[in-house]
Amino acid sequence: AVFVVVWVGAAIVTVNAALLGGKISFFQSVCVLGYCLFPLNIVSLLVSLIGTNHKTMKLVIIIFGAIWSVKASVGFMAQFVPIGRKGLGLYPVFLFYVTLSWMILAR
């Protein structure tokens, strides 16, 4: 399920950036989004090591990882989207990482 979410999410982000007039290929988008998934991989590992009684700690760690991933990807993706449309181009990136963070939390 995660593999499909990553590929579909990358496709949506790429199509959105292309429709907004950006110059990015599908594989560039997959590479950037995959590179910026590293913080969520670390978060997933940490959350799996924490016991089930520490729900607040898990939530804080997941939010930290999501913010880290979004911040890392915004630096890359912002250069592919025209200046006047950065908000429209980066919102799907935010949703992508929030969805993956939610999947970690729900596990």
Side-chain angles (χ1 to χ4, degrees):
V2 175
F3 185 76
V4 172
V5 169
V6 169
W7 278 90
V8 170
I12 290 170
V13 168
T14 304
V15 168
N16 183 50
L19 290 175
L20 290 172
K23 305 228 185 278
I24 187 170
S25 72
F26 176 72
F27 294 110
Q28 273 181 309
S29 177
V30 170
C31 288
V32 167
L33 295 174
Y35 170 77
C36 296
L37 273 176
F38 180 72
L40 287 179
N41 288 334
I42 298 299
V43 163
S44 180
L45 180 65
L46 287 174
V47 166
S48 66
L49 296 175
I50 296 174
T52 58
N53 297 332
H54 305 291
K55 293 183 191 255
T56 306
M57 181 184 265
K58 286 182 179 182
L59 182 63
V60 169
I61 292 171
I62 290 170
I63 289 172
F64 174 74
I67 291 170
W68 185 5
S69 290
V70 169
K71 182 122 172 92
S73 64
V74 163
F76 290 117
M77 294 300 288
Q79 63 187 338
F80 297 118
V81 181
I83 294 172
R85 300 179 176 179
K86 289 207 186 294
L88 292 172
L90 297 176
Y91 184 67
V93 174
F94 169 76
L95 288 178
F96 175 71
Y97 289 115
V98 167
T99 302
L100 292 172
S101 299
W102 186 259
M103 290 175 70
I104 294 170
L105 184 64
R107 184 177 53 93

